[in-house]
Amino acid sequence: NYVMEKTLVELPLDLKKKLNVFLNTSKYIINSAVAIEKEKRTSTVDLHNILKEQININKSVNNKLHYVHVKPVYNDICNIIKKYIQGELKLSGNNLYPNPGWMNWHTNNNYPGTRCYFTYVKDINKSCFKYYNLKEKKVITDVDNSECILRKFVVNEDNPFWHCVESNTTRLSIGFHVT
């Protein structure tokens, strides 16, 4: 429960074209100010107390991201994911990170189970997914070193999976709960 699985994904050209529309236009963005207000988390303070000096939280408590309508690419992305992960997929997050963008430390343990995130970036090596490995007691930085990445991890109340995102490029991340 303390690790994250990562898979580099090759995408068909037509899906890449569709995803680039998300990276280059705001037409799919939902009212971000309202959505971000709902997503503010007090757990950032809790994590800071847990990790003490091991991390540097230099961002504000607010996340910097947009929520997007993913219906135009939803079925295509699900078909790609099903090549790598077994189970039913239920949409749990649809985030477009601007440059710069981030989501603060959180656990999602209010919605336990297996999670997977489909990530598509404009520029490789300019964004990352960070998580805290409780067993090793350290922060792991997993760089987005490919245009498209699929990450999977388990979230539960007993073993919180602390994670966050930092991005210095435009980054689309679509999350799923796997059952």
Side-chain angles (χ1 to χ4, degrees):
N1 289 346
Y2 304 114
V3 296
M4 181 266 315
E5 295 175 27
K6 177 180 178 179
T7 305
L8 305 183
V9 178
E10 279 295 320
L11 296 177
L13 187 58
D14 61 328
L15 181 54
K16 280 187 181 186
K17 287 179 181 177
K18 287 181 186 178
L19 290 170
N20 282 324
V21 170
F22 278 89
L23 299 185
N24 296 310
T25 184
S26 61
K27 83 179 206 179
Y28 296 106
I29 294 178
I30 301 169
N31 184 341
S32 298
V34 172
I36 288 171
E37 199 58 37
K38 289 179 183 176
E39 285 292 316
K40 284 183 181 176
R41 303 188 192 281
T42 57
S43 59
T44 303
V45 175
D46 299 335
L47 178 71
H48 189 60
N49 290 335
I50 291 167
L51 303 181
K52 301 203 187 313
E53 302 300 317
Q54 295 188 45
I55 63 168
N56 177 18
I57 300 176
N58 57 3
K59 307 285 192 259
S60 70
V61 175
N62 298 333
N63 299 316
K64 185 178 179 189
L65 53 87
H66 302 290
Y67 297 86
V68 291
H69 293 285
V70 294
K71 189 174 182 180
V73 292
Y74 181 80
N75 289 335
D76 294 326
I77 289 172
C78 286
N79 290 335
I80 296 289
I81 292 171
K82 287 178 181 180
K83 292 178 182 179
Y84 302 94
I85 295 177
Q86 294 182 353
E88 294 298 314
L89 302 173
K90 181 179 178 186
L91 186 65
S92 64
N94 43 332
N95 307 315
L96 181 66
Y97 297 86
N99 178 8
W102 63 86
M103 180 178 285
N104 281 318
W105 289 96
H106 61 287
T107 65
N108 298 115
N109 65 354
N110 58 330
Y111 193 42
T114 301
R115 304 292 282 263
C116 77
Y117 283 89
F118 174 92
T119 303
Y120 186 76
V121 296
K122 185 174 183 178
D123 302 299
I124 63 170
N125 299 322
K126 292 189 175 183
S127 57
C128 65
F129 176 91
K130 292 183 178 183
Y131 65 96
Y132 184 70
N133 185 313
L134 286 170
K135 193 173 187 178
E136 295 179 17
K137 304 236 183 286
K138 68 179 185 178
V139 173
I140 308 296
T141 300
D142 186 43
V143 175
D144 293 336
N145 60 348
S146 179
E147 190 175 56
C148 185
I149 295 172
L150 186 62
R151 292 181 172 93
K152 183 175 108 174
F153 54 90
V154 176
V155 173
N156 64 53
E157 292 178 20
D158 297 329
N159 298 305
F161 188 84
W162 286 100
H163 58 285
C164 70
V165 172
E166 292 182 5
S167 184
N168 289 306
T169 185
T170 308
R171 181 184 195 268
L172 177 66
S173 177
I174 303 173
F176 297 90
H177 189 87
V178 182
T179 58

